[in-house]
Amino acid sequence: MTGDMRRDTLAGWGTWRLSRHSFAPAPRISATRWRRMPAAEKAAWDLARAATHANLPLLGTPMSQAVDRLLAARIRQNAFKARPATRAGVMVSGGGYQGKTETVCETAAAFEDAWRDLHRTNPETVPGSRDLWAPVAYVQTPVTAKPKGTCKAILDFYGAPTKRMDLPELIHQVAASLADHGTTVLILDDITRLRMHRADDQDTLDLIRAFMSMHVTLVLVGVDIPGSGLLREGRSPAVKNVNGWEPTQTERRFDLIELDRFRYDTPAQITAWISHLAGIEDHLRLLKAPRGMLTDRTMPEYLYERTGGVVGLLERLIEDGCSQAIASGAERLTESLLDALPLTLARAGRDAESGEVPHVLARSGRKPAIRRRRNTVFDDHGPATADTA
């Protein structure tokens, strides 16, 4: 994968979209073959498997599949609308590190693939113009979100000029960029960086709603959107509404869906968690890994306790665990090995105050509420589980 991989630029989004499924994991080899490899070949394979562990696949979950169904249907329906009516948007809510951004971007990229196959060229092209076609625009909400800053963030995606422009000029430029580039979907990530008790942020929400009249499907992604005040606009009781309906303007224009973490309360939920672990295990390249390394005995309960069922935390723990397993020569993941690893979530660009960095569960040694021991039996249809006392 080469080129700009930042999704918040036109070039970066295109590079990511075209290469998002192109990663090839390291080939599987036995410990015996690895020991017999020449030093240079062994080093090359070790680098390849390190890259494999750093690029765990985006596995579908029951939660992400529900988001994909709703979002894909809304995007398609809006894309074919011919009337100049306001397009309904979608809000995707959930905790930090739960895969909201990856799920939304994958759904939007799949739509763009199909949209390009259908039209071949920008259906909104103005004769004589050579604007780049951008069916999807991905933008991160600025940490301090104000109307001008939000407009500039959108225009930065297209590489459009923003200097010495006042707000009306910026809004006009946003509308022109969306139209000229044939943008059908506008994703605003980290939308709950808006603090609805601030006047600037309420003005920004008014601006965002105005984007819905620009013939795009607006997709807002954030942490705990219902608790953020966005749906009710966070209006202070001191602010007098004309007829009491103003706070409903946002919630009536958006479908809200929650991308929740895994749960561990019912047999179906436990089976879904173990199936997810089996999918991850299939991607690992550890030389002494037994079958069922992540799914047998008490490992599912342990991993759930460490991560709370949050897929991003699970990915971080498995990635760090594989690195430690290789460095130590253990070449397998065990509870004792993982227990020595802290979950460190410091990450550039994340706003902890907005809930984008989740609370990391302490290693308490306690098991989840369901203490059933799980034995996993693999057959031709995948993992099947059974409870034991």
Side-chain angles (χ1 to χ4, degrees):
M1 293 181 290
T2 60
D4 183 3
M5 289 294 290
R6 290 178 50 197
R7 287 186 292 209
D8 58 353
T9 67
L10 179 54
W13 173 268
T15 301
W16 170 81
R17 180 182 64 83
L18 293 172
S19 63
R20 70 189 192 281
H21 298 151
S22 63
F23 178 79
R28 299 179 185 277
I29 65 172
S30 66
T32 300
R33 180 183 172 189
W34 181 83
R35 286 192 297 268
R36 293 174 178 173
M37 282 180 172
E41 187 177 352
K42 184 183 296 183
W45 186 79
D46 283 343
L47 286 176
R49 65 169 169 160
T52 298
H53 298 153
N55 291 277
L56 296 176
L58 178 65
L59 300 175
T61 69
M63 302 79 71
S64 68
Q65 289 164 358
V67 171
D68 175 72
R69 285 193 297 270
L70 172 66
L71 181 58
R74 178 62 61 218
I75 290 174
R76 286 195 304 269
Q77 291 164 8
N78 285 349
F80 287 111
K81 286 185 182 297
R83 294 177 298 173
T86 298
R87 273 50 170 171
V90 177
M91 288 184 175
V92 180
S93 180
Y97 281 70
Q98 287 180 193
K100 301 181 301 298
T101 297
E102 296 306 317
T103 299
V104 167
C105 286
E106 174 58 35
T107 301
F111 162 77
E112 180 169 342
D113 292 342
W115 196 243
R116 287 178 177 274
D117 287 343
L118 177 64
H119 292 287
R120 300 298 177 183
T121 59
N122 182 0
E124 304 299 327
T125 296
V126 176
S129 69
R130 298 188 64 184
D131 289 306
L132 293 174
W133 190 14
V136 176
Y138 171 82
V139 179
Q140 283 194 312
T141 307
V143 173
T144 303
K146 296 182 179 180
K148 290 183 69 173
T150 302
C151 285
K152 288 180 178 180
I154 296 171
L155 293 173
D156 284 346
F157 175 85
Y158 299 106
T162 60
K163 291 183 178 180
R164 294 185 293 275
M165 288 187 180
D166 58 21
L167 182 57
E169 291 173 321
L170 287 169
I171 294 174
H172 175 77
Q173 184 65 41
V174 167
S177 292
L178 292 171
D180 292 346
H181 290 83
T183 300
T184 304
V185 181
L186 174 60
I187 302 168
L188 292 181
D189 202 356
D190 302 320
I191 194 63
T192 41
R193 290 177 176 179
L194 294 177
R195 308 288 197 273
M196 297 313 298
H197 62 280
R198 299 186 304 214
D200 281 338
D201 295 50
Q202 292 185 11
D203 291 342
T204 302
L205 181 60
D206 291 338
L207 171 67
I208 289 171
R209 283 204 310 270
F211 294 155
M212 301 177 75
S213 64
M214 298 179 185
H215 300 174
V216 298
T217 299
L218 191 57
V219 183
L220 307 183
V221 185
V223 174
D224 187 21
I225 288 177
S228 70
L230 279 174
L231 289 174
R232 304 296 297 180
E233 303 187 29
R235 300 292 184 183
S236 166
V239 177
K240 182 176 177 60
N241 296 320
V242 175
N243 53 26
W245 293 345
E246 286 80 357
T248 69
Q249 289 300 303
T250 301
E251 61 183 330
R252 289 183 179 179
R253 295 183 181 185
F254 287 90
D255 296 321
L256 173 66
I257 187 166
E258 182 84 9
L259 202 165
D260 200 0
R261 60 186 176 89
F262 276 96
R263 300 290 176 174
Y264 209 85
D265 301 320
T266 68
Q269 291 170 342
I270 295 171
T271 297
W273 174 248
I274 293 176
S275 295
H276 188 73
L277 296 179
I280 292 176
E281 183 179 319
D282 186 60
H283 201 69
L284 305 184
R285 301 293 187 265
L286 296 176
L287 295 173
K288 299 178 184 178
R291 196 176 191 186
M293 179 176 64
L294 300 184
T295 58
D296 277 352
R297 300 185 180 276
T298 60
M299 185 60 89
E301 289 93 330
Y302 172 81
L303 292 172
Y304 187 86
E305 180 198 9
R306 283 298 304 277
T307 65
V310 177
V311 293
L313 299 187
L314 175 66
E315 180 178 317
R316 176 66 61 86
L317 183 62
I318 296 299
E319 180 183 340
D320 291 350
C322 287
S323 179
Q324 179 61 25
I326 293 170
S328 67
E331 291 289 346
R332 62 184 296 176
L333 298 180
T334 63
E335 292 183 25
S336 58
L337 183 145
L338 295 173
D339 214 36
L341 300 177
L343 272 172
T344 55
L345 300 180
R347 180 176 166 188
R350 297 290 87 192
D351 182 16
E353 292 185 9
S354 298
E356 294 166 19
V357 180
H359 172 69
V360 178
L361 301 178
R363 298 193 301 278
S364 64
R366 296 190 301 269
K367 298 301 178 187
I370 292 183
R371 300 168 187 256
R372 292 190 289 259
R373 181 170 173 173
R374 310 292 297 179
N375 291 326
T376 305
V377 179
F378 285 81
D379 57 27
D380 292 337
H381 302 287
T385 59
D387 294 342
T388 60

